[in-house]
Amino acid sequence: GFSNSPYAGKTWLNRGWCNWYLTQWPEAIEAFGEASQRLPAGLDQARAIFKLADAQFQWGQFEPALTNYARLVREHGAIPEVKDGLLDQAYYQMIKAAIQTGNQAEAEFAQARLAWGISSRIRVPG
């Protein structure tokens, strides 16, 4: 009855988490997908996109998962919390999804970005 509520996106995100923990992949895909569309741009939307891709990967939908990991990187990669908390995992999952789909270009892109990100955070004593 409150489909236009400002809380609808967060509700879908929470529903997605419930489905995720119950390993109900189709339901999690639906819920995280709705959340990713209803939430405003920001950290919650980034989390919804990431978990949408993860649920798709778990369900064997590697091409849509790859698309959504790339969406996360493209649309939310500059958000500090995403950069520090989700980006490396998104690149790693992109590599796995790209291998499953035979998309060598995406696998190489994600591998290079992952390697660059890790090396840029290594601190040399001195």
Side-chain angles (χ1 to χ4, degrees):
F2 298 98
S3 62
N4 292 327
S5 168
Y7 302 108
K10 191 72 165 183
T11 300
W12 280 105
L13 181 60
N14 290 336
R15 181 181 294 179
W17 279 110
C18 292
N19 296 130
W20 175 268
Y21 287 116
L22 294 170
T23 64
Q24 297 172 336
W25 307 125
E27 293 85 356
I29 291 167
E30 177 188 10
F32 287 129
E34 285 289 332
S36 74
Q37 297 303 314
R38 293 173 182 259
L39 287 164
L43 184 57
D44 281 338
Q45 186 184 56
R47 288 180 178 141
I49 294 167
F50 181 75
K51 293 314 293 181
L52 169 60
D54 276 352
Q56 289 168 325
F57 188 93
Q58 289 293 326
W59 192 242
Q61 297 177 339
F62 302 114
E63 193 66 42
L66 181 57
T67 298
N68 281 305
Y69 289 126
R71 177 183 172 205
L72 170 70
V73 168
R74 183 179 65 251
E75 294 179 10
H76 301 286
I79 297 172
E81 296 89 351
V82 172
K83 192 182 244 184
D84 294 337
L86 291 177
L87 213 52
D88 286 351
Q89 187 64 33
Y91 285 130
Y92 177 75
Q93 290 296 104
M94 279 180 74
I95 294 167
K96 290 172 51 177
I99 289 169
Q100 291 293 326
T101 62
N103 190 331
Q104 183 175 349
E106 285 285 5
E108 289 175 356
F109 166 79
Q111 185 276 327
R113 297 298 297 173
L114 180 60
W116 180 85
I118 291 170
S119 68
S120 69
R121 289 189 300 277
I122 295 174
R123 303 204 192 281
V124 178

